[in-house]
Amino acid sequence: MRPISICAVVFTAVSTFAVPVQWRVEDGGNGHWYERVGDFFDLDSRKNWHDAKAISEGRTHEGASGHLLTVASEAEHQFILDTFLRDHPWPLWIGLTDLEQYGGHESSFPDDSGWVWVTGEPVTFSRWGPGSPDQTQVDEDAALYGSSIEEYGRLYQWNDAQPQDHAAFLVEYEPVAVPDSTPFAMTIACTALVGMRRFWKR
C-alpha cells in the first residue's frame, strides 16, 4: 500500500468518533455520554488543558452538562479504551490534576495522592503508566491518556504533562438526576384528603 493510502486510512479512523457515545446501563455502564473533541491531525483543534476544561464545561448533550473525563472504575477505563483509544492512539486530556486551585498538591510516583478530579469526586481508580506521575518536566500538573503529543507511547495509560501542552480531549456528560416527586405528590394528596374530611364534617 502506498504511504498516501496509509495516511488516508489513519485519518479516517481517527475521525470516526465525532459525536457523543453512551455507555449504556444495559451494557453495564452508567448511562453517561462521552465524546472526543479535537484531533491529532488537526493542529487547530488541539487545546491546552485549561482551555479543554473550559470548553468541556461549556458543552451540553441531551440536557446534560459536560466536564473533562473522570474515570471511576476499571470497567469505565475499558469502555474509554475500546471506544476512543483503539482507533485514536494519540494523547487525550482528562479531568485529573494536582493543581492547588482544584484541591490538589504536588506529588509524583509512587505517591499520587495529590491528584484530584475536576468534578471534586473522590479518586477511587487510577491507571498511571509505569513511573507516572513522574514530573519529568517542571509543573506537569495535568493528566492525559498517552504520552506527550510528539510520542506514540503509553497509549492506554495515564501520564502527567504540562497544562500548556496541546492535545485533543475527552468530555463526559452526566445526565441530570430527576428529583423523586413521590414524597411531594403524597404530601399534596394527603393535604387534599384532610381538607375534604374537614369540609364534610361541617
Side-chain angles (χ1 to χ4, degrees):
M1 186 180 290
R2 292 176 299 175
I4 190 170
S5 299
I6 294 175
C7 293
V9 171
V10 172
F11 185 82
T12 301
V14 299
S15 301
T16 301
F17 298 104
V19 295
V21 179
Q22 187 179 34
W23 190 24
R24 302 187 308 170
V25 174
E26 53 266 42
D27 294 332
N30 54 18
H32 296 184
W33 294 81
Y34 301 80
E35 179 183 21
R36 191 194 81 234
V37 177
D39 194 298
F40 181 85
F41 295 98
D42 180 3
L43 297 182
D44 291 336
S45 71
R46 299 185 197 173
K47 304 298 178 184
N48 65 51
W49 186 85
H50 294 287
D51 286 347
K53 178 180 180 296
I55 293 170
S56 298
E57 294 171 358
R59 297 173 74 88
T60 61
H61 179 72
E62 299 272 329
S65 298
H67 57 73
L68 277 176
L69 171 74
T70 65
V71 186
S73 67
E74 178 67 28
E76 187 173 17
H77 168 70
Q78 287 299 322
F79 171 80
I80 295 300
L81 295 191
D82 294 339
T83 307
F84 299 103
L85 274 296
R86 305 299 187 195
D87 292 320
H88 187 277
W90 307 102
L92 294 166
W93 289 123
I94 62 175
L96 192 65
T97 180
D98 66 357
L99 288 169
E100 292 184 2
Q101 67 197 84
Y102 301 110
H105 63 267
E106 199 74 21
S107 66
S108 59
F109 181 82
D111 175 22
D112 64 353
S113 62
W115 291 78
V116 296
W117 292 117
V118 292
T119 57
E121 64 191 88
V123 179
T124 57
F125 172 85
S126 66
R127 186 55 75 229
W128 292 106
S132 293
D134 53 21
Q135 292 289 341
T136 300
Q137 301 181 63
V138 177
D139 298 327
E140 291 191 331
D141 298 320
L144 39 62
Y145 270 102
S147 190
S148 64
I149 61 175
E150 292 82 14
E151 297 181 71
Y152 190 87
R154 301 184 186 181
L155 301 180
Y156 308 131
Q157 296 172 310
W158 302 347
N159 186 37
D160 52 336
Q162 295 177 317
Q164 63 266 31
D165 289 343
H166 287 70
F169 53 98
L170 291 167
V171 183
E172 179 177 356
Y173 302 93
E174 300 190 35
V176 179
V178 179
D180 186 357
S181 60
T182 303
F184 177 75
M186 290 181 66
T187 300
I188 296 297
C190 291
T191 302
L193 287 172
V194 170
M196 291 175 64
R197 289 183 63 185
R198 288 176 178 173
F199 175 81
W200 291 110
K201 283 183 177 180
R202 291 180 181 177

